[in-house]
Amino acid sequence: HPPPVATDKEQQKRLLENRPDQPQQPKVLRIAIIGAPNAGKSTLSNQLLGRKVFPVSKKVHTTRCKARGVITHEDTQLIILDTPGLTNPLKAKRHNLDEAMLTDPWDSMKHADLVLVLVDVSDHWTRNSLSKEVLKCLSQFPHIPSVLVLNKVDILKKKFLLLEIATDLTEGIVNGKKLEVKSSALKQDSRSSAKLPLRVTQASPPESKVPGSPFGQEKNQAQVGSGLDRSSDVGGAGTGEGPKHHGPKDLKDMKGWPHFQEIFMLAALHGEEVDTLKRYLLMQAKPGPWEFHSNVLTSQSPQEICDNIIREKVLEYLPLEVPYGVTQVTDVWEEGECGELLIVQSLLVPRESHKRMLIGRGGKVISRIAREAGQDLMNAFLCEVRLKLQVEVK
């Protein structure tokens, strides 16, 4: 079971400063998760960690800062760099975002050993090409191995579309081999309940080359019927040359990235196939010192987790741009007589009309936010939490 987050700021600080209790031959892997805003990066991070410490909402830019999640499994430590969605200065201005939102994903890339590029396949506007920001990011760091993760596959009714999406997003090349779509796979009845490409991500037997890797299973290819066949070698990863640097001119014509090492298909919200990806990540870890003590789950302070989770609910229940103007102030943070955590937070809004929206008729909205946020905080801290929210016009 993943450890809880300490409720006391000083205790969490001590934990973060503690010398890692690493084994004799420790292994480590730093993973940057990048993608367009709202692709499901934080949801995937929470599922990998096994406890909710990153805020999640349907609105864009829920994640405001780069925070680390830590998974310690036996002799291996995975460090997840949950990054804000890659955005551009124009959108950053519209959503009142900090300068850091534009630089944090790039900073995370500098420290990563592996990049997961997350794509929401349920969004038919964006699913067939990587955003310019993502392509730019990958082309700046071509030496860092990257893996494509197709998320929200459970929402996609026509499963055969996954093959088309995978081909577009990889430019038809994975791990230096050409992908070929077998016509038989595309003739499958789109209404059939067979999760055709999902079955590709079953972990392969231990003796095979890369356990848990969906397309590293040439042996099982026929029986899995993934419809994707890696045939001929084409330069790049397969030939050991490594990807070449792509200039701005190349990127203009590119829809996908031809240097992904693997493709995974999952539904992060329901945890479908997340374990397969986790096993693969553990296998990719290299010998190296741990960064954190095994009792650390995240680098965030308890107050940051609390602020983020309340903010998530405010984003969820307020319309349009309104939630982006809310300021949070923690008035009380103390331990009660029975060990419960007492938190009182003021939500400051710029207008009286926003106050009415946030409180809701008969106080319904604000009490729902307090109830749901309190529940999430109990799961993060593993203790009783009593949360009181008050709304004021600033």
Side-chain angles (χ1 to χ4, degrees):
H1 290 283
V5 180
T7 55
D8 179 63
K9 192 177 178 177
E10 290 307 311
Q11 191 188 343
Q12 172 72 345
K13 199 172 158 205
R14 279 196 302 275
L15 248 183
L16 289 169
E17 289 166 357
N18 254 357
R19 277 181 67 170
D21 50 341
Q22 59 188 21
Q24 286 202 309
Q25 294 173 310
K27 287 192 279 189
V28 71
L29 186 74
R30 289 170 200 79
I31 305 146
I33 304 181
I34 68 168
N38 222 1
K41 296 179 292 298
S42 297
T43 304
L44 178 59
S45 299
N46 288 333
Q47 288 283 6
L48 288 166
L49 288 167
R51 207 177 285 295
K52 182 174 176 178
V53 296
F54 295 122
V56 176
S57 142
K58 291 186 192 75
K59 287 227 173 65
V60 295
H61 307 306
T62 310
T63 302
R64 291 285 176 125
C65 61
K66 61 165 189 281
R68 292 171 178 224
V70 185
I71 299 164
T72 306
H73 179 77
E74 293 170 1
D75 61 351
T76 304
Q77 195 162 76
L78 302 178
I79 297 160
I80 297 173
L81 314 165
D82 184 46
T83 57
L86 284 159
T87 188
N88 59 39
L90 192 71
K91 288 179 187 161
K93 198 171 173 190
R94 189 189 317 156
H95 287 104
N96 192 13
L97 305 177
D98 298 340
E99 188 77 7
M101 295 276 294
L102 295 168
T103 57
D104 280 355
W106 299 86
D107 288 347
S108 294
M109 288 289 283
K110 285 178 201 156
H111 302 294
D113 305 312
L114 182 77
V115 185
L116 296 186
V117 177
L118 203 60
V119 174
D120 171 4
V121 296
S122 71
D123 186 340
H124 66 275
W125 297 105
T126 60
R127 66 188 176 204
N128 285 84
S129 61
L130 295 174
S131 77
K132 287 288 165 260
E133 282 85 24
V134 168
L135 278 172
K136 196 169 144 195
C137 214
L138 289 168
S139 69
Q140 293 273 344
F141 302 93
H143 55 286
I144 303 174
S146 54
V147 169
L148 176 64
V149 180
L150 303 182
N151 189 24
K152 309 188 191 181
V153 295
D154 54 322
I155 303 174
L156 202 62
K157 298 225 170 16
K158 299 174 177 172
K159 296 292 183 234
F160 68 86
L161 283 173
L162 282 169
L163 305 174
E164 187 188 298
I165 294 166
T167 308
D168 283 346
L169 296 178
T170 59
E171 302 264 316
I173 297 161
V174 175
N175 199 19
K177 294 198 172 66
K178 194 164 186 267
L179 287 180
E180 285 185 359
V181 180
K182 296 174 189 160
S183 55
S184 60
L186 293 178
K187 283 181 195 151
Q188 285 241 336
D189 180 7
S190 62
R191 290 182 307 260
S192 87
S193 58
K195 292 194 201 162
L196 160 81
L198 253 182
R199 283 163 51 213
V200 183
T201 57
Q202 296 305 316
S204 44
E207 72 272 10
S208 89
K209 198 176 47 170
V210 185
S213 87
F215 291 123
Q217 303 178 354
E218 282 85 350
K219 279 183 292 192
N220 305 3
Q221 206 76 41
Q223 81 198 47
V224 169
S226 72
L228 290 175
D229 189 19
R230 291 200 298 193
S231 51
S232 56
D233 260 331
V234 289
T239 56
E241 289 166 22
K244 68 178 174 66
H245 192 80
H246 293 272
K249 196 159 174 280
D250 301 325
L251 295 182
K252 200 162 60 84
D253 308 320
M254 284 169 76
K255 275 171 61 174
W257 182 245
H259 308 295
F260 287 121
Q261 303 216 327
E262 298 292 343
I263 305 177
F264 287 86
M265 303 182 185
L266 47 81
L269 188 61
H270 309 296
E272 262 181 52
E273 297 296 334
V274 172
D275 270 353
T276 307
L277 176 60
K278 193 169 174 176
R279 281 197 296 274
Y280 172 79
L281 295 173
L282 288 165
M283 291 296 302
Q284 301 306 305
K286 301 278 184 288
W290 285 4
E291 265 184 55
F292 299 96
H293 190 278
S294 60
N295 283 340
V296 172
L297 187 72
T298 177
S299 62
Q300 302 168 90
S301 73
Q303 278 87 346
E304 282 174 322
I305 290 175
C306 175
D307 283 355
N308 284 334
I309 281 176
I310 293 170
R311 219 176 121 266
E312 165 200 308
K313 308 300 175 196
V314 171
L315 280 167
E316 206 56 39
Y317 295 121
L318 287 190
L320 304 167
E321 309 290 311
V322 176
Y324 296 101
V326 176
T327 307
Q328 295 163 265
V329 179
T330 301
D331 305 309
V332 178
W333 184 287
E334 60 188 35
E335 199 176 307
E337 288 170 20
C338 309
E340 75 276 30
L341 181 61
L342 304 172
I343 303 170
V344 179
Q345 190 169 96
S346 298
L347 303 177
L348 311 179
V349 293
R351 295 191 186 90
E352 193 62 45
S353 58
H354 291 185
K355 180 179 173 177
R356 284 197 297 275
M357 269 186 230
L358 188 46
I359 292 172
R361 188 173 291 173
K364 265 190 179 154
V365 176
I366 196 71
S367 49
R368 184 175 183 179
I369 289 171
R371 188 175 64 247
E372 290 184 12
Q375 192 59 55
D376 279 352
L377 292 171
M378 280 190 229
N379 294 340
F381 298 135
L382 283 194
C383 74
E384 189 68 35
V385 174
R386 283 170 53 199
L387 173 65
K388 188 179 173 207
L389 297 176
Q390 42 207 27
V391 187
E392 294 166 27
V393 177
K394 58 184 169 196

